Amino acid sequence: MSCNLVDMNTKSKFKMVPAVLKQGIRYCGLSFTVKSETEGFFDPVTREACGDSMDYGKLFAYLFRRFGYPNRGWDGYKELTKYVLTTPHSDMVLSVVPYVGDNTSLHFTFLVPMEVLCQINDYGQRFRNAWEERALDWREKLGLPDWMSEWMEFCNTSLRAQFHNLPQYNNWRETLPWMMSLGSGKGRSKFDKMTRRANQFCTQLHADFEKVEAEPGYCERSPNWREWDDEDPIKPFADAAFAALRDLHRPVGVRDQEISAFGVVNSTRQPLAAPAVAGYPSGMLGNAAPEGFAELHGLVLKLGNGNARSGIKKAIAMLAHKTAQSPS
């Protein structure tokens, strides 16, 4: 998974556009939240880029004027709208759902592939993970329980029969996630007995080793995100997130005025032009028949092999031909 730093030249040329999510990628939310002794939990990246308070109405007006109609579906009951936008990092997009309130951090969610999120979490847990490995080494030296071979067979047969695509387990350490996640059942079935015994073993292992060596805590990051370690895998994403959020200050023109995501501005920068869709009531068909229009949207994309312009062109040609053949 790519995790390259975003250089200054890339950031200076960056201009946010609607994003197209990569196929086959499971996206997860990435949080930059840290804990401060004086302020509690907060997101230092979003705070520095946009402040703590941001009006949702001005944000929505800006998004609509700059990017046109929303490019993603959203929860029609809970959410006002949704835009998914690019960032300078190819493995991260910005989801903007204007929250009906003025809490800035609630408007934005950065999304990254699951693999990236795991890398970042592993870095924060690195001291705990090392402690875990020492605990397992320590337990192996003491000797494993006699039932461990039975447990391994259970994982490779019963569990794999219930959960497809599981790998073949060759070492008891590979089954630790099952030891920790299963075992809460109080039944008398073989499944309940096996998982409960494994869970109790795992819990006792950690408790016993903590008497030998205290378990370290999560590696907390500095409240100043610019001070985060360069080797921290979250650093290039924080860098790109800041650049993306700062791009919301870029003005877009409305007649002889300019607005940013924060309202009317007087800027010396050349304002962005309105989107090509400005002035076209493209959403009216959706207003009249939202479900049908969503289905039509999907068919157009399929017709164009994912390219909307190509699909629309083909659909128009087909409809024009059909209309020409129909009696007046």
Side-chain angles (χ1 to χ4, degrees):
M1 181 61 59
S2 171
C3 194
N4 295 327
L5 288 171
V6 183
D7 61 43
M8 294 304 295
N9 290 332
T10 300
K11 288 189 296 180
S12 64
K13 297 177 181 177
F14 172 72
K15 186 181 294 185
M16 191 183 291
V17 298
V20 177
L21 298 182
K22 299 175 183 178
Q23 294 295 318
I25 298 294
R26 180 182 175 186
Y27 286 91
C28 303
L30 173 61
S31 174
F32 300 107
T33 299
V34 297
K35 183 179 180 181
S36 166
E37 292 183 1
T38 57
E39 300 182 78
F41 293 97
F42 72 99
D43 178 343
V45 178
T46 300
R47 170 179 286 182
E48 184 179 339
C50 299
D52 290 323
S53 180
M54 192 172 182
D55 183 88
Y56 75 94
K58 293 175 181 177
L59 174 60
F60 174 74
Y62 175 76
L63 294 170
F64 186 75
R65 184 59 175 178
R66 178 171 173 182
F67 303 110
Y69 291 89
N71 63 327
R72 299 292 297 182
W74 63 92
D75 187 319
Y77 171 69
K78 297 180 181 178
E79 299 173 333
L80 178 63
T81 188
K82 178 184 287 186
Y83 289 79
V84 178
L85 308 170
T86 59
T87 75
H89 202 300
S90 61
D91 282 337
M92 182 172 70
V93 297
L94 170 62
S95 173
V96 186
V97 178
Y99 165 74
V100 182
D102 62 358
N103 188 321
T104 302
S105 63
L106 296 180
H107 297 315
F108 307 113
T109 302
F110 287 95
L111 303 174
V112 296
M114 171 64 82
E115 293 85 350
V116 168
L117 186 62
C118 288
Q119 291 172 11
I120 291 170
N121 287 340
D122 283 346
Y123 185 83
Q125 296 276 16
R126 63 192 183 279
F127 298 126
R128 281 182 177 174
N129 292 340
W131 179 88
E132 171 85 9
E133 289 300 315
R134 291 193 295 274
L136 302 184
D137 292 340
W138 173 80
R139 190 62 180 83
E140 283 188 340
K141 289 180 180 179
L142 291 180
L144 297 176
D146 295 336
W147 52 262
M148 190 59 73
S149 59
E150 184 183 2
W151 165 254
M152 291 293 296
E153 182 181 357
F154 170 77
C155 290
N156 281 319
T157 55
S158 298
L159 283 183
R160 294 185 72 206
Q162 294 189 50
F163 302 95
H164 301 298
N165 300 323
L166 289 181
Q168 179 78 24
Y169 297 111
N170 300 308
N171 188 292
W172 72 278
R173 296 186 184 211
E174 298 170 351
T175 69
L176 280 173
W178 293 114
M179 288 185 176
M180 292 186 287
S181 61
L182 300 177
S184 59
K186 298 181 180 180
R188 296 184 178 181
S189 68
K190 180 179 179 181
F191 183 92
D192 287 328
K193 291 180 180 179
M194 290 290 293
T195 55
R196 185 163 55 245
R197 181 171 61 182
N199 180 268
Q200 291 171 351
F201 165 77
C202 187
T203 302
Q204 191 62 47
L205 186 160
H206 289 147
D208 290 344
F209 188 66
E210 184 137 26
K211 297 175 183 178
V212 177
E213 178 186 332
E215 180 180 6
Y218 186 86
C219 184
E220 298 291 346
R221 295 179 173 91
S222 165
N224 183 352
W225 68 274
R226 296 180 184 279
E227 295 178 351
W228 293 351
D229 296 337
D230 289 338
E231 62 268 22
D232 188 337
I234 202 174
K235 186 67 177 289
F237 290 94
D239 194 47
F242 180 76
L245 292 173
R246 288 299 298 175
D247 200 62
L248 295 175
H249 291 266
R250 189 189 298 269
V252 61
V254 183
R255 196 176 180 177
D256 56 354
Q257 290 188 305
E258 299 168 17
I259 62 171
S260 74
F262 305 85
V264 177
V265 295
N266 293 314
S267 174
T268 57
R269 302 174 68 177
Q270 178 65 31
L272 297 168
V277 74
Y280 289 92
S282 304
M284 278 301 297
L285 284 177
N287 289 339
E291 292 184 7
F293 190 71
E295 184 178 357
L296 179 62
H297 187 159
L299 291 172
V300 166
L301 288 176
K302 186 175 181 180
L303 193 62
N305 293 319
N307 186 305
R309 289 186 179 183
S310 175
I312 289 173
K313 186 176 180 179
K314 291 180 180 179
I316 289 174
M318 293 170 64
L319 289 171
H321 178 70
K322 187 70 174 178
T323 302
Q325 290 183 328
S326 300
S328 57

